[in-house]
Amino acid sequence: MRELFLKRRQDFHNRCLKYLKYVLNDHFVLVLLFLVGFLLYQYSQLLEHFPSNSLGISLVLTLLVLGMLPLGSIATFLEAADQVFLLAKEEELVSWIRRAANHTFILWGLLQVAVLLILYPIFVVLGWSIVTFSLLVLALLAVKYVLIQLKVKRFISNGRLDWREVIVAEQRRQQSILKFFALFTTVKGISSFVKRRPYLDKVTRLVTKRRSQTWHNLYLRAFLRSGDYLGLTLRLVLLGLLALFFVNLDWLAVGLAFLFTYLLAFQLLALYRHYDYQYLTELFPLGNRLKKANLLVFLRRLIYLVALVQIACAGNLKKAALLLFLNVILVELYLRSKVKKMID
């Protein structure tokens, strides 16, 4: 049984490594190097010119420390078919989940300690002694262990395994990892769900129901009601706005904001294949040319709307002009070329 799940773990890790080479490409690594360098410089400047009123710093530090505590999902690697074929091995599976919980505690506990060590200079400036800091680290590790054990209790009750809870939790864990890689490349095996969101129905009325806009209407509904696209858009737009607000270097702030917009545009190209499983769409008396044209129109409107929000929050004319220029290049050159090259 142990060999089976170790093989599943290795297979999933190999799958992630295959996608990782698309994440750590030359351009992204270069951006990361600049970003890390900028953060280290800002960190050193903060320590050298620490504000006299440290209430804001203490509040952010508290939120960051508390935010690390719930992180860490138990990697069980159970699959839906296991509740049938491995039912007789339930006791061994319970033991495996407990070992997986300990592995999760060690991994995320070490990451938590590493982050606290990076933040240690701030604690020193705030007047913390090494003894007090060590006690804080140990206390946070104890809380993390308790939280992970509470997650185990959701899976195991009175020595019995809650198959549905474990399998759903593992699917969500793997999907969250794969969705990160999907920001950079096409990833197989990502599932989606549909949520009505009635409060957004008024948005769907903005596009007239004409034959020439059939696919535009479908793309808009997929964007608003799919569990992936709308949430991804809101997160990436928020990250772009945070970069514009808090990064002092104009070129770096604009570069980060544009990077998030580019990732959004690249990910939304998947809308073209969103209805492939709906075979009735093959009966539409419409050509693929209209499908591509509607996708380009939808993406153009969305990206320009995002650009408008970023320009409004840019803070100065130079950043606004640069954002406008980059987004025009993204839409009129990159997206137009990518949509044109799509193969049916």
Side-chain angles (χ1 to χ4, degrees), residues 195-263:
K195 187 175 182 180
R196 174 65 188 274
R197 298 190 178 100
Y199 54 89
L200 294 178
D201 285 350
K202 293 182 179 180
V203 180
T204 62
R205 299 171 192 156
L206 298 177
V207 181
T208 57
K209 294 179 175 60
R210 295 201 304 263
R211 180 179 183 276
S212 61
Q213 294 185 316
T214 300
W215 284 105
H216 196 319
N217 276 283
L218 291 175
Y219 292 141
L220 179 60
R221 282 160 173 75
F223 175 79
L224 295 176
R225 295 172 179 173
S226 171
D228 303 326
Y229 302 113
L230 182 60
L232 174 68
T233 301
L234 294 176
R235 289 192 294 269
L236 290 178
V237 171
L238 178 60
L239 289 174
L241 294 179
L242 289 176
L244 292 173
F245 283 136
F246 295 106
V247 177
N248 295 325
L249 296 177
D250 289 353
W251 64 270
L252 183 58
V254 171
L256 289 174
F258 177 71
L259 174 63
F260 294 127
T261 306
Y262 164 76
L263 293 175

Side-chain angles (χ1 to χ4, degrees), residues 62-76:
T62 302
L63 293 176
L64 182 60
V65 170
L66 295 179
M68 291 189 298
L69 292 176
L71 297 179
S73 300
I74 302 174
T76 61

Side-chain angles (χ1 to χ4, degrees), residues 136-187:
L136 174 67
V137 172
L138 294 176
L140 291 175
L141 284 176
V143 174
K144 166 109 26 210
Y145 181 80
V146 171
L147 291 177
I148 291 178
Q149 293 304 313
L150 290 177
K151 293 180 181 180
V152 173
K153 288 185 177 180
R154 287 173 45 213
F155 299 157
I156 304 170
S157 177
N158 298 323
R160 308 292 295 182
L161 193 62
D162 188 338
W163 289 92
R164 184 180 181 279
E165 183 71 25
V166 178
I167 292 171
V168 170
E170 178 60 19
Q171 289 175 344
R172 289 176 179 172
R173 187 190 71 85
Q174 293 191 15
Q175 288 292 312
S176 64
I177 297 174
L178 294 177
K179 285 179 180 178
F180 168 76
F181 292 120
L183 295 174
F184 303 89
T185 185
T186 302
V187 176

Side-chain angles (χ1 to χ4, degrees), residues 91-105:
E91 291 185 4
E92 295 183 39
L93 290 176
V94 169
S95 178
W96 162 258
I97 290 175
R98 296 190 187 279
R99 288 199 298 268
N102 293 332
H103 182 270
T104 300
F105 169 71

